[in-house]
Amino acid sequence: MSRTPTPADALVPAPARASSAAPRTTAAAEPETTASPSPTPGPAASRASGLWADLVTSALLGTDRRTPPGCAPGSHAPTALLDAAAAETVRRRAGLRPARAGRRPEPAPEDCRPPLPAAAARRLMTLLADRPGPAGGRRGTAPDLMELLPQWLATANARGFAAPPQTLPALLDAARGRTDLRPAALTFAGPRALWLARLNPDWRFALRAAPGGDTALPGPDAADQVRRLWEEGLFAERVALLTSLRARDPAGARGLLASTWATERAEDRLMFLDSLRSGLEPADEPFLERALADRSRNVRATAAELLSALPDSALAARMAARAVTCVFLDRARDPAAIGVEAPHECDPGMERDGVVATPPSGRGERAWWLGQLVEAAPLGAWSSRFGGRTPEEIVALPVTDDWRSDLHAAWCRAAVRQRNGVWARALLGAPTAPEAGGPGAVSLAERAKLLGTLGAGERAEWVAGFIATHGLSEAFQLLGMCGVPWAPSLGRAVVDALNIARDAGSYPWSFSGVMGLAERCLDPSEAGRLDGLLAIPDEAEGASPGAGGYWAEAFQRLVTTLRLRAAMAEELGAAPEA
């Protein structure tokens, strides 16, 4: 006999609904138990529970393998199973007792921000409903809407709009799946998103990720509330409180942290200490100096890193004194060169100041110690060490005994840590320098970090010059450091380089990453310049088969996306990016 066509889940909901009460034979059969606050299941209830379990087992296995209770095998068994399940369901429901009603949730808070324009609200629903295609599939000419959602959210937040209530569940689901969306999505969703998150465990992340989380942060005059939240709040609430207080009252935040520092867990001390990066100031030095004696190595290392970012700190002076004894001007050479004598040991004083004694696998001890000393030393110390030379002149000096890469890499890290644009420019060099690295940088990754110390305009001009010289093959990391929308010179350099690659018959999928960046970052006003690239070009000799069609498709998608971004900005009441 074939398995019963009735799905097992048709039976399962009944016991789930009845699970809060003990099963009973009938409501009328035992009226005296109705008033009992906590009935004790008797033999009849146990038999009823066993009967339901037998019915579920028969449904799962099929009536040909397990005959329902009280039924003979045969073709009528499936019908008998359904009849028995229906009767048992009614009987079990009749035995349910009314439960005490739960407390009604507090009303959702009001969101006083202006509502979205109708067209923008419709656009948001479209963006949230988009789903990525299958991995590895051809994208076609349709824009990737999910990749445009972060930009849409940023514009909506800048305009101060409130999220439509009906979009909040989809917004929370999107933020749950993509951590990069959470800050912007939760800011846009506003206080009602936190209200919803308290009612749905799937959205509890919002209480940890949103500023203030599950508890509104006390105002600047609520000293008692600040103290109570700091001493009794959850870890996420305490981090949010410290961050908020740090922004408006750095001394108060530092004092709050110091008051419980000795009793905090090591991992918590590390997170709290990291919050001092924002608004780091000389007044933080005494607290950070005390943290250098912390029991946790990670806490000590973070305190040392923060102190080294204060060029006038005592730790920076100690590191400079150590570093200048290791790096000197060797005048015996012609021309003069930089000589290096790396440390021969890592003494306790160095370790207290954050130098990690054990190098990573494959790294020499002396080079490891040297790099940490130079990285932590104030960059201003090197000009006097090298006879008043400028950073450009120092970086241009030859370095003896193959120490150049280690020394310059440490200077790169120091320039990034100390946000020193003068040294960053010297280490970057001209964008026309060889691809492997500038005068000081030893990798494109370091160049990207150095670019972060420069202003947005200077950054864009440097990357545009790099692309004009070297093309796009090595430019992806550098483009990621540039502001959105790209400056006109950078946008033109990217489009021209893509056109050159297309005419050369290169594989279009080799540039898919840059093309994706262009869709999100290119100024929408550039769409008109791309119309001439939409046709399928003649296939050049030696070109990749079918590459022309792929290029035309990619440029069509780029143009469509740029025009969509312009429409999005207009719907939000902002002038299109130009």
Side-chain angles (χ1 to χ4, degrees), residues 299-564:
V299 172
R300 294 195 303 270
T302 301
E305 180 186 346
L306 293 174
L307 283 168
S308 67
L310 296 171
D312 297 326
S313 67
L315 179 135
R318 294 194 297 270
M319 287 300 202
R322 295 179 181 118
V324 296
T325 63
C326 299
V327 183
F328 52 90
L329 186 63
D330 187 352
R331 299 180 185 276
R333 295 176 178 267
D334 188 20
I338 296 175
V340 175
E341 182 63 34
H344 289 273
E345 64 173 346
C346 183
D347 59 47
M350 290 167 60
E351 289 197 63
R352 181 186 180 277
D353 284 345
V355 175
V356 179
T358 304
S361 178
R363 186 79 182 274
E365 285 184 334
R366 298 182 65 197
W368 173 245
W369 299 331
L370 173 72
Q372 293 179 80
L373 295 181
V374 173
E375 177 182 355
L379 289 165
W382 297 110
S383 181
S384 58
R385 181 59 170 165
F386 293 112
R389 287 176 170 82
T390 65
E392 289 81 2
E393 293 169 336
I394 294 172
V395 168
L397 289 171
V399 182
T400 62
D401 300 328
D402 297 325
W403 284 106
R404 180 182 184 275
S405 294
D406 291 294
L407 181 60
H408 286 186
W411 277 335
C412 286
R413 296 192 298 271
V416 172
R417 181 184 295 188
Q418 298 171 34
R419 311 298 298 173
N420 191 310
V422 176
W423 270 86
R425 294 183 192 95
L427 292 160
L428 275 168
T432 54
E435 291 183 56
V442 296
S443 70
L444 283 168
E446 286 175 330
R447 281 184 157 189
K449 293 176 183 177
L450 290 169
L451 281 170
T453 67
L454 307 181
E458 186 177 359
R459 213 179 306 166
E461 290 297 328
W462 196 96
V463 177
F466 181 92
I467 292 172
T469 303
H470 305 294
L472 290 168
S473 59
E474 301 291 342
F476 187 79
Q477 283 181 295
L478 306 179
L479 285 169
M481 299 301 298
C482 297
V484 179
W486 287 337
S489 59
L490 178 57
R492 286 192 296 270
V494 171
V495 172
D496 290 345
L498 286 170
N499 193 20
I500 291 170
R502 168 181 176 263
D503 291 343
S506 302
Y507 288 101
W509 42 91
S510 300
F511 299 91
S512 59
V514 173
M515 191 67 79
L517 274 180
E519 291 172 18
R520 300 189 296 274
C521 304
L522 197 63
D523 194 305
S525 64
E526 294 288 328
R529 292 187 61 236
L530 298 171
D531 287 340
L533 304 176
L534 303 183
I536 299 177
D538 295 332
E539 210 163 274
E541 185 178 351
S544 306
Y550 276 93
W551 276 110
E553 186 178 90
F555 279 120
Q556 179 64 62
R557 182 172 61 249
L558 175 58
V559 170
T560 304
T561 303
L562 294 178
R563 289 178 175 152
L564 176 59

Side-chain angles (χ1 to χ4, degrees), residues 21-40:
R24 306 175 57 193
T25 52
T26 64
E30 300 177 84
E32 68 281 2
T33 63
T34 307
S36 173
S38 54
T40 301

Side-chain angles (χ1 to χ4, degrees), residues 33 67 83 116 133 140 168 199 263 272 274 276 398 403 419 509 565:
T33 63
T67 304
D83 289 343
L116 269 179
L168 294 179
L199 304 176
T263 60
F272 292 144
D274 202 58
L276 298 184
W403 284 106
R419 311 298 298 173
W509 42 91
R565 284 174 52 207

